[in-house]
Structures are given as C-alpha cells and as structure tokens.
Amino acid sequence: MRRGLRYLGIVVALLIIGGGFRRSSGDGGEFSGDYSKLSGIIIPGLASTQLRAWSFLDCPYSPLDFNPLDLVWLDTTKLLSAVNCWLKCMLLDPYNQTDHPECKSRPDSGLSAITELDPGYITGPLSSVWKEWIKWCIEFGIEANAIIAVPYDWRLAPSMLEERDLYFHRLKLTFETAYKLRGGPSIVFAHSLGNHVFRYFLEWLKLEIAPKHYNQWLDKHIHAYFAVGAPLLGATETVKATLFGNTFGLPISEGTARLMSNSFASSLWMMPFSKYCTADNPYWKHFSGASRKSHQTYQCEEHEFHLNYSGWPTNIVNIEIPSIHAFDAYPSITEVAQTNLSSMECGLPSQLSFSAREVSDGTFFRAIEDYDSDNKRLLYQLQKWVISCDPVLNPLTPWDRPPVKNVFCIYGIDLKTEVGYYFAPSGKPYPDNWIITDVIYELEGSLFSRSGNLVEGNPGAASGDETVPYNSLSLCKNWLGPKVNITRTPQSEHDGSDVQVELNVEHQHEADIAPNMTRSPRVKYITYYEDSESIPGKRTAVWELDKANHRNIVRSPVLMRELWLQMWHDIHPDRKSEFVTKAKRGPLRDDDCYWDYGKARCAWPEYCEYRYLFGDVHLGQSCRLKNSSADTLLHYL
C-alpha cells in the first residue's frame, strides 16, 4: 500500500482500535460498546450474485458442458457457445419455482460471489459489482472478517428464499454471529433489490422474535442501514422485461431474455405499484386467529381515485389490443406466410392505458390475458408469490421507515429514466409477440417520448437514476420529519466555497422537498436531507447524487468517501454533530491527488505532494498524500 495511505490507515486504526471508544445509549440512540467492533453486511441487488451449477449437464452441440460448481451466472463463454444449455441451468418452473429437470443452479457464497460476476481479464471489469467497495475497505484498514456478503438466489420470490434455502434464518444467524465475532452491531449495505430483501427480513423477524424483544434485537444487532438505489415503489423496467425482455446487456435476444426472466417469481417483486394503496399486514393474522391462507384486503386512499397515475409521472403501460382474438392474433410463422392478412386491416385495434396500481393488482395482466399465452402464468405467480399467499408481506405496498436507529437512503438523480411504454402486437409468436412502439422518459423535471415530443403528466422535481424513476427512489423522503436540514455540496473535493445550507426547512408529509439552492451547470452535486430530531434516538438522512447511475452507484468513489466519513464520524467520541460536517472535502487517498497543469504543481498542496515512485507514467500519478494528511480527518467531526 502506498506510504501516505498506509499512514492514514494506521492512524485511523489506532483511533478506532486503540481508543476503544464507548458511548452510552442515553441521548443519540447509540449502542453501548466498542465502535471498532462494527461489521458490514452487504445485500446485493438483482442479478448481482454468481450462480453455480449443482448438477451434470451434457451439452450435445458444444464442447463445453456444465459440471458441478461451474459458473452459470455469469459465464459468457458458455452463454455464447451453448445458449440453450445455459438456459436450462437458469430457468425455473414458472408455477412452483423448482429447477429445470436437467440442470440445477445455486447461489455462490462469500465475497467472491458479488465482486465480479464473470472473472477474467476482459470480462472481469465489465461485470464488476462490489469489487471497488471491497478495495476501499481494504485500503482503509477494515479487517477481513468485518465485511460479510449475504448472497441469495435472486430468481426466487421472498417466501421461496426461506422455504428452499432458509435464507432469512441464515441472515438472522449472520447478524448474531457477527455480533459475537466482533462484539458490536452491523451496518447493512443493500443495493436495488437487496433493499426489498432487507425489508422482507425485518417483517419476517417479527414472526421469529417476541414483540417486546423485536426492537431490542434490532438495536443490538443493526447500527445503521444504507439503502442504495432502493426501488421503493418498484421500477417500470420490470414491466418492459415482462412483456418485451431485458437482456442485461448480454448477447441474447429480447425474446430469450423475456422467456428467462418470466420464469423467475422475483421479476414481480419490483413491479411498479401505487403509493396510495396498502394491504393488510399478514403479521397480524398470527395473533388474530385468522387463517394464513385468507386473502389480504387491498385498500386504497381517496388520492388513488382523485389523482392521476397512482403517484407516478404517467401511466406505466399503454397497449394496443388487437381486434381479433388470441389464436388469430398470434399465428405460427408458417400460418403468417400462408395467410392473406388484408382482411385483418378492417378491424382497428383499441388502446388501453394502465396505472401502477392496475399493474400491481393484476388488472393489466387480466385485460390482455386472451392476447398473450404467458399471462395466465403471470397472474398465477402474482397471486401466489406476491399478493395473496405470502405469509409475511405483500411486497407491492408502500414502505414505512425501517425501525432501525440510523437510516441513510441514497440514490442518483437527473438521468434519463424510462417511466412508461407503448406496446403493440408484433404478429409473431410468443415470446416475441409484443413490440415497443414508444417510450416515455423523465429528465430533470420534464417528460418526453422517444421521438422527442413533450408528454403531459406529473413529472417530479428531478428524474431518476436511469433505471428506477425518481418518485420510486425519493419515497424515502417521507421518512423525514417536519423539520429537515438540507445541504448541497460539490461531489468532488472542495474548499467549502460552494456549500449551500438551509436549516429547519418545513416538510409536509407525502410532499417532496425542493430546496431553494443554485446549481452550476458544470458541477455535480450531492444534496443531503438530514433529520435527527423527529424520532427520539433515531437519525434519518437522504442523499441525492447528481448523475449517479443505478447499476454503477456502488462503485462510485464519491459515495464510498461519504459512507466512510459518516461511519468514521460516528465512531469518534469528540464528534460535535449528529451527521458528518459538509464544510469541506479534502483528498483522502493518493488517487484523489492530481497534477494541476495551470500551476505546475500537485493540486491541493495542503494535502498532496509530488513524490515519484518507480513505475509512475505521468505527473498526476506521482501526486500523493502527505504523511501528515491523516490529521485532516479531524476536520470532519
């Protein structure tokens, strides 16, 4: 490790380990114990865990077979050479979520399962997920046993995760083992679908622990929860994957991708849903004597029926229904070639629109059931795995603030994000029977179509992170109280000259907060919304990162820097505020130092110096932290 960074790591380690800081749980909701004993538990998102073969599969038209422990997700070599064979190892039975008769896959374990999905000189960097995150932990002296990954089979519905793999039992044991091993609580880092997994775990835990001990268990085992890119109201791309297919950038057709993702019950876990509709909590059935198989009551507020779009910017789906019925609408390819289609031109198709509520409660899928052979299965999955039969939670209901002491909701904004689709019949057989004729995007407070035309609707104050719309990401602002402190700073290192602060901003429940702050068009900002007073002993914060992409946000050096500073601030006994100060941001690593060609010296001379080491190929690479720069951490108290 570089000398300056090594020195910084040693000083931090001495501060954390040597000090043995202890605080009582009197006034900040802080646990009583040694802060050096914190553990980090990572819950990855959709398609962010390696799956390995757990059977023998002979691929007759390929020299590559599948043997136990071979990579399935993701092995691009086998995908390209034997896609049908690879699909057998990926597909699940759509009705009972069991494996294909010829091949079985299971999630890998440990940190290696989430760092690089497809290791290799070329494919590794392209499939890197949490690798940069782990590097940061290593650079700053975090112990190997302090970072724990909890991979899961992201194809399964939540109840099936528990039924088949006892995932939530094992997750509970992971928290308890980390506490015994390290002597303190854990910090949860969840990304994308991983946030839904953690929410389900918190609800599942209510059935495992006596109610009077539930909050005690959480306070003892979980110090903070970082919700990164959480689709709190679902994501519209799930609908596109269900009707058209989402390839994840893989060299497969949309039809193949649709066939694959529609066999996963987890695809429905992130369906867009209304912020105004809730279902009965199945938790109470276990105490009221009601049958576990009784149907949940789905209730909507008046807002759902008086306002348009279920709290979304626009209708999620606009679809053309053919004027003829299923068997005529989707004939086989041979029949298409032999039939004179001129008679079909007489019937005009009708266009139907569906809101988020109508997607999540099955209204949309029932409306096109006669025109798509796959919708009976989708409706079956929706009822069995999501709406009616889950014994713990209906995931398609709005979130409340998790009952964890410290909650940080983090997401990217102001990228072009899909919020609605226009579908039409393609005339081809399943799975290619629908085409997308138009897409509605949101971008920085406006809606427009793929052709560039403005679209009427209810756009938010900002746009989403290129994958999840802004209204879904920003739902966590409802967790903030009536008085919020807002700070906006540049993402890059800065001296504090461009820091804007508003204190005690009034916040109406269910309303977005729009800070009255300026923006420079050339600067990417972070906007912090912080509240440590509304709930005694608990802190809630929302961080909005300009132009942070959903899939890459966990690799963002800016995010990792802020997470590190917040946690370092929390462990220090001399901290003066509930949240880390935003007054300035100096370089923390050698990589943050660079050469200022205008002044012919290293930028940030207070922190960085020119120090050539053998192998440096340019001036910026020779700019490194000064040995005394470890003292800069004291500025963030």
Side-chain angles (χ1 to χ4, degrees):
M1 187 180 291
R2 300 183 183 97
R3 185 175 56 172
L5 184 57
R6 183 172 63 247
Y7 184 81
L8 175 60
I10 293 172
V11 171
V12 172
L14 290 174
L15 284 171
I16 297 175
I17 300 173
F21 303 138
R22 297 180 180 271
R23 282 182 175 266
S24 64
S25 55
D27 58 357
E30 305 297 341
F31 76 97
S32 177
D34 187 348
Y35 280 94
S36 68
K37 306 304 181 184
L38 290 172
S39 299
I41 293 183
I42 300 175
I43 307 179
L46 180 72
S48 296
T49 295
Q50 287 180 347
L51 301 177
R52 293 189 178 273
W54 200 247
S55 57
F56 297 93
L57 178 62
D58 180 26
C59 302
Y61 301 107
S62 170
L64 303 175
D65 298 330
F66 281 96
N67 297 303
L69 300 184
D70 282 356
L71 264 182
V72 176
W73 185 270
L74 186 62
D75 189 329
T76 51
T77 303
K78 290 182 178 177
L79 187 157
L80 291 170
S81 63
V83 64
N84 291 330
C85 206
W86 176 81
L87 272 176
K88 289 180 181 178
C89 295
M90 285 297 301
L91 292 173
L92 296 175
D93 184 279
Y95 290 96
N96 55 24
Q97 294 294 281
T98 55
D99 299 286
H100 190 279
E102 297 181 42
C103 189
K104 179 188 297 185
S105 296
R106 290 295 180 267
D108 203 354
S109 59
L111 289 173
S112 61
I114 66 170
T115 49
E116 285 182 345
L117 299 181
D118 190 10
Y121 184 75
I122 297 176
T123 56
L126 299 176
S127 66
S128 174
V129 185
W130 292 89
K131 188 172 184 178
E132 293 300 319
W133 193 290
I134 304 303
K135 283 183 178 179
W136 263 75
C137 294
I138 294 171
E139 286 187 19
F140 283 102
I142 304 298
E143 292 294 329
N145 62 2
I147 304 297
I148 305 168
V150 282
Y152 58 95
D153 194 332
W154 42 268
R155 303 172 298 171
L156 298 177
S159 57
M160 197 64 181
L161 277 176
E162 177 62 20
E163 180 182 331
R164 194 195 76 180
D165 297 342
L166 289 178
Y167 178 79
F168 298 107
H169 267 99
R170 293 189 290 113
L171 183 55
K172 177 175 178 286
L173 290 174
T174 299
F175 280 106
E176 294 171 345
T177 303
Y179 182 86
K180 290 182 179 180
L181 180 65
R182 306 282 299 170
S186 298
I187 301 166
V188 178
F189 302 102
H191 177 237
S192 192
L193 179 62
N195 292 282
H196 286 279
V197 173
F198 184 64
R199 178 199 188 190
Y200 193 92
F201 168 72
L202 293 178
E203 294 296 323
W204 172 87
L205 200 62
K206 292 178 180 178
L207 304 179
E208 292 296 310
I209 298 177
K212 64 179 181 180
H213 298 310
Y214 176 71
N215 287 324
Q216 295 176 9
W217 190 96
L218 292 179
D219 290 346
K220 178 180 178 181
H221 294 92
I222 302 177
H223 172 65
Y225 165 43
F226 287 88
V228 183
L232 302 175
L233 289 175
T236 49
E237 279 197 359
T238 313
V239 178
K240 180 176 75 171
T242 301
L243 260 68
F244 182 71
N246 188 352
T247 65
F248 296 101
L250 298 176
I252 56 177
S253 68
E254 282 82 4
T256 301
R258 182 190 181 196
L259 187 69
M260 179 179 69
S261 64
N262 281 1
S263 74
F264 308 155
S266 63
S267 299
L268 301 174
W269 205 351
M270 291 198 296
M271 279 288 174
F273 57 91
S274 171
K275 63 188 285 188
Y276 303 119
C277 298
T278 57
D280 292 338
N281 191 335
Y283 168 74
W284 296 109
K285 294 180 182 179
H286 300 270
F287 301 96
S288 62
S291 169
R292 290 181 63 161
K293 295 184 179 180
S294 62
H295 290 280
Q296 300 178 32
T297 304
Y298 199 65
Q299 298 178 337
C300 297
E301 301 175 11
E302 288 297 321
H303 292 297
E304 173 62 30
F305 307 103
H306 293 277
L307 300 176
N308 293 328
Y309 316 130
S310 298
W312 284 70
T314 183
N315 284 322
I316 305 297
V317 178
N318 304 276
I319 190 166
E320 286 187 5
I321 300 298
S323 58
I324 51 180
H325 242 250
F327 296 108
D328 295 326
Y330 304 115
S332 67
I333 295 176
T334 338
E335 290 171 337
V336 170
Q338 296 173 352
T339 303
N340 182 2
L341 299 180
S342 60
S343 60
M344 295 174 60
E345 297 173 0
C346 300
L348 296 176
S350 57
Q351 181 169 293
L352 302 178
S353 298
F354 298 90
S355 66
R357 172 181 59 83
E358 293 167 327
V359 170
S360 63
D361 67 7
T363 301
F364 164 58
F365 296 113
R366 282 190 289 272
I368 64 171
E369 187 174 358
D370 292 336
Y371 305 96
D372 194 318
S373 60
D374 200 38
N375 277 279
K376 287 184 173 60
R377 179 200 57 77
L378 282 170
L379 284 167
Y380 177 86
Q381 282 191 347
L382 194 63
Q383 291 294 327
K384 179 175 181 180
W385 303 111
V386 180
I387 295 178
S388 298
C389 301
D390 192 294
V392 175
L393 172 73
N394 178 350
L396 303 184
T397 53
W399 289 47
D400 294 323
R401 183 193 184 279
V404 178
K405 286 185 295 187
N406 305 300
V407 175
F408 295 81
C409 184
I410 307 165
Y411 52 87
I413 61 169
D414 283 343
L415 290 171
K416 188 171 77 170
T417 306
E418 298 173 359
V419 294
Y421 303 98
Y422 285 82
F423 293 98
S426 67
K428 298 179 181 179
Y430 176 84
D432 299 309
N433 52 314
W434 298 105
I435 58 172
I436 297 177
T437 59
D438 207 350
V439 180
I440 302 174
Y441 299 97
E442 64 175 1
L443 179 62
E444 299 179 358
S446 63
L447 298 176
F448 59 93
S449 67
R450 186 163 56 185
S451 55
N453 298 322
L454 291 177
V455 177
E456 292 185 3
N458 297 322
S463 54
D465 63 2
E466 205 170 341
T467 299
V468 182
Y470 175 75
N471 66 298
S472 181
L473 294 165
S474 63
L475 184 73
C476 55
K477 286 186 178 179
N478 291 338
W479 304 344
L480 298 165
K483 297 289 185 181
V484 181
N485 295 334
I486 307 177
T487 308
R488 177 172 287 167
T489 70
Q491 292 184 16
S492 59
E493 290 75 24
H494 60 86
D495 59 5
S497 59
D498 193 14
V499 174
Q500 305 170 65
V501 180
E502 288 186 26
L503 301 178
N504 296 320
V505 177
E506 292 189 3
H507 171 224
Q508 300 291 332
H509 186 61
E510 298 286 351
D512 194 10
I513 311 176
N516 184 21
M517 296 177 176
T518 60
R519 285 180 181 271
S520 170
R522 296 184 298 274
V523 178
K524 293 181 182 178
Y525 291 97
I526 308 179
T527 306
Y528 307 84
Y529 304 81
E530 298 172 332
D531 174 20
S532 61
E533 298 179 358
S534 299
I535 307 176
K538 288 180 166 55
R539 296 182 301 170
T540 308
V542 177
W543 299 353
E544 292 183 343
L545 280 69
D546 289 353
K547 309 296 183 182
N549 175 276
H550 179 82
R551 294 181 175 88
N552 296 326
I553 191 170
V554 295
R555 293 184 281 185
S556 166
V558 173
L559 172 60
M560 289 185 277
R561 178 196 69 198
E562 293 303 310
L563 289 174
W564 170 256
L565 286 176
Q566 185 64 57
M567 287 299 97
W568 183 85
H569 170 272
D570 283 0
I571 68 176
H572 205 285
D574 297 328
R575 60 189 177 95
K576 302 177 181 64
S577 61
E578 289 296 328
F579 298 97
V580 65
T581 178
K582 317 298 187 302
K584 63 186 299 186
R585 286 291 182 271
L588 293 181
R589 307 186 302 161
D590 286 347
D591 289 346
D592 299 331
C593 296
Y594 59 92
W595 184 260
D596 186 339
Y597 286 92
K599 297 181 180 179
R601 68 181 185 189
C602 290
W604 296 96
E606 180 183 353
Y607 305 99
C608 304
E609 64 181 2
Y610 181 83
R611 192 167 66 249
Y612 173 82
L613 294 179
F614 180 76
D616 291 347
V617 295
H618 57 80
L619 292 171
Q621 202 170 354
S622 299
C623 290
R624 292 179 167 84
L625 289 174
K626 293 181 178 179
N627 287 341
S628 60
S629 59
D631 298 334
T632 61
L633 283 174
L634 299 178
H635 296 305
Y636 300 112
L637 298 178

